Amino acid sequence: MPDTIRQQIISAIDTQLKTILVAGGYRTNLGQNVVEWDLTPMDPSQDVFRLTYRDEEETRADLSVGEQDMALPLTILALASGNTSLAEMRKMVADVVSAMYADPTWGGIASDTVQDGVTKLDKGQAADQASGAELKFRVEYAVERGTS
């Protein structure tokens, strides 16, 4: 059985986030450590970067007879060791936004990708604390009623 549209979108997002590499034209190498929702504490003795994401509860609205508009909310966390500067964190945020808008239809699976709300930056005050940025996106797509 083929993957659901939701899974196809998540797989496409995972693949795209892993392209965030300096060699690919980005400002950082966040793509070297992309994981689906891992909040394991970071090792403070290393200058570690981690990009983690999760999909959240979808919303549905009737589009027309037999179809539904879907909105898939995503939370993306860009995490770094506490000695990472805010300037570097801003580069990470810019890279994530660029990657998420590289193809807002995810190869034609979705109709659009929208950044929701504001990006939250949090700077660790010591080397043993993580710094991070939280970004919220919404991927919009349509499905036949009764499918996902």
Side-chain angles (χ1 to χ4, degrees), residues 58 77 96 109 116:
E58 289 176 309
L77 298 178
V96 170
I109 303 167
D116 283 334

Side-chain angles (χ1 to χ4, degrees), residues 20-22 26-32 47-51 78-96 119 121-123 131-133 135:
I20 300 176
L21 302 169
V22 172
Y26 289 94
R27 297 166 192 85
T28 67
N29 285 312
L30 268 176
Q32 291 176 339
D47 192 24
V48 177
F49 294 93
R50 182 185 307 147
L51 190 59
L79 303 171
S81 64
N83 58 357
T84 302
S85 70
L86 282 173
E88 190 67 19
M89 292 301 303
R90 289 183 192 103
K91 289 179 187 178
M92 294 165 62
V93 167
D95 283 350
V96 170
T119 300
L121 282 173
D122 186 21
K123 172 74 172 116
S131 297
L135 298 96

Side-chain angles (χ1 to χ4, degrees), residues 63-138:
L63 178 62
S64 64
V65 175
E67 288 190 346
Q68 288 184 315
D69 265 343
M70 307 294 286
L72 177 61
L74 298 160
T75 298
I76 300 174
L77 298 178
L79 303 171
S81 64
N83 58 357
T84 302
S85 70
L86 282 173
E88 190 67 19
M89 292 301 303
R90 289 183 192 103
K91 289 179 187 178
M92 294 165 62
V93 167
D95 283 350
V96 170
V97 171
S98 293
M100 290 296 291
Y101 284 113
D103 177 6
T105 68
W106 305 101
I109 303 167
S111 55
D112 201 8
T113 299
V114 179
Q115 187 172 5
D116 283 334
V118 296
T119 300
K120 298 177 189 174
L121 282 173
D122 186 21
K123 172 74 172 116
Q125 298 302 310
D128 64 345
Q129 295 177 338
S131 297
E134 178 185 83
L135 298 96
K136 300 271 190 176
F137 291 90
R138 181 179 71 249

